[in-house]
Amino acid sequence: MTRPAVNVAVRAARSAGNVILRYMNRIDGLNVVEKQRMDFASEVDRLAEAEIVKELRRAYPTHAILAEEGGAIGKSPQVWVIDPLDGTHNYLRGIPHFSVSIALLDKGEPVYAVVFDPLRDELFTASKGDGAYLNDRRIRVSKREGLAGAMIATGFPYRQRAHLDTQLAMTRSLLSQAEDIRRSGSAALDLAYTAAGRYDGFFEIGLKPWDMAAGVLLVREAGGTYCDFAGRDGIPESGNIVAGNLHVAKAMVEMIGAQATPTLLRA
């Protein structure tokens, strides 16, 4: 049975998706700002976020909100974490791979999650203890028993270029056993695909809460796990995350940990 909070988040995600699709043919005319070096936001990000916030505030006026563009709104143990357009760089270049990500955290623990791909009309949802779903069909992480032949997803974050050499070393190490590595430009979709068994595992450096809050719950409710580079469970404050099925995630932590600097292994 779908939880009411998930229904609200789905409505919000679909409203945001409508905004995103409406502007797709007008990308050249969008107002784009560079928040920091190589970190862009468009008016579509802000308009989509406004749609999400409106839906969430209407249903849960006492809940707090943490949004990529608008920042923190209110104080409460229940916090909605929002990325209105995960994959903005793809969107602005006309690359058809991006998503809307919405999660509810209760005292820091993700309890409801929605990741919506408006182009493919793929809706990933999860509720703590109730499993993960793709368009109402139950999904599970892959059954792969190790890194041999695994398909791994990652990203090379623009905020963390100081760690690029280390991440390339991690990638090289993983590719010694894995089948291949994909870099698609939307961490939320990477995690959703990991939950659906399309990828066997995922890792990235320096993600923000809105990049991963929904995706990690999808992975866990699909039978997988997530942790930081040292193997500590939970959403890492560092943003350095590993996710996948239990066997692949364990093997990834071992190989990534062997390459990671002390800074990247901190909580």
Side-chain angles (χ1 to χ4, degrees):
M1 181 177 67
T2 305
R3 303 288 182 169
V6 172
N7 288 330
V8 171
V10 166
R11 285 200 305 272
R14 288 196 179 278
S15 293
N18 289 337
V19 171
I20 291 166
L21 295 180
R22 190 182 312 138
Y23 282 86
M24 273 200 70
N25 295 324
R26 291 182 269 171
I27 291 173
D28 289 343
L30 292 179
N31 180 32
V32 179
V33 297
E34 187 171 9
K35 296 184 290 185
Q36 53 183 297
R37 183 174 179 267
M38 293 186 289
D39 186 2
F40 299 97
S42 73
E43 59 188 296
V44 174
D45 296 71
R46 293 186 289 275
L47 290 169
E49 184 173 289
E51 288 294 313
I52 296 169
V53 171
K54 180 175 69 176
E55 290 286 346
L56 297 179
R57 297 293 275 180
R58 179 185 296 141
Y60 299 103
T62 63
H63 288 187
I65 289 174
L66 176 62
E68 179 175 15
E69 305 308 325
I73 303 171
K75 290 186 178 181
S76 170
Q78 290 78 40
V79 182
W80 290 97
V81 183
I82 304 166
D83 192 336
L85 178 50
D86 188 58
T88 299
H89 290 235
N90 284 348
Y91 183 79
L92 293 176
R93 292 176 176 270
I95 298 170
H97 192 78
F98 42 81
S99 62
V100 180
S101 177
I102 304 172
L104 178 63
L105 305 187
D106 186 2
K107 298 177 182 176
E109 181 76 14
V111 291
Y112 300 112
V114 170
V115 173
F116 179 49
D117 178 344
L119 275 178
R120 298 175 182 84
D121 195 28
E122 289 194 329
L123 183 69
F124 299 85
T125 61
S127 300
K128 184 178 179 181
D130 288 346
Y133 296 83
L134 167 56
N135 293 346
D136 299 321
R137 177 180 59 84
R138 185 75 179 262
I139 54 176
R140 300 288 295 179
V141 293
S142 75
K143 297 180 180 179
R144 193 166 299 280
E145 296 184 355
L147 275 173
M151 181 69 74
I152 305 298
T154 192
F156 295 99
Y158 37 83
R159 302 185 193 97
Q160 303 287 341
R161 291 293 166 84
H163 300 299
L164 182 59
D165 287 345
T166 302
Q167 187 168 6
L168 290 174
M170 295 173 182
T171 302
R172 187 180 302 111
S173 179
L174 291 169
L175 278 174
S176 68
Q177 295 187 37
E179 175 187 331
D180 209 345
I181 288 182
R182 295 285 184 267
R183 192 267 183 265
S184 67
S186 172
L189 280 179
D190 286 344
L191 286 161
Y193 283 16
T194 301
R198 296 173 178 175
Y199 294 139
D200 299 296
F202 168 76
F203 77 102
E204 192 159 335
I205 292 172
L207 291 181
K208 297 297 185 181
W210 46 78
D211 297 318
M212 55 185 169
V216 295
L217 182 62
L218 288 168
V219 170
R220 179 158 288 175
E221 288 300 317
T225 188
Y226 61 91
C227 59
D228 67 9
F229 287 177
R232 292 177 288 253
D233 290 337
I235 298 177
E237 289 188 19
S238 64
N240 306 329
I241 191 166
V242 173
N245 77 36
L246 300 179
H247 301 294
V248 171
K250 180 180 178 182
M252 289 176 67
V253 167
E254 290 175 358
M255 297 196 80
I256 287 170
Q259 301 294 332
T261 63
T263 297
L264 291 175
L265 291 173
R266 291 177 190 153

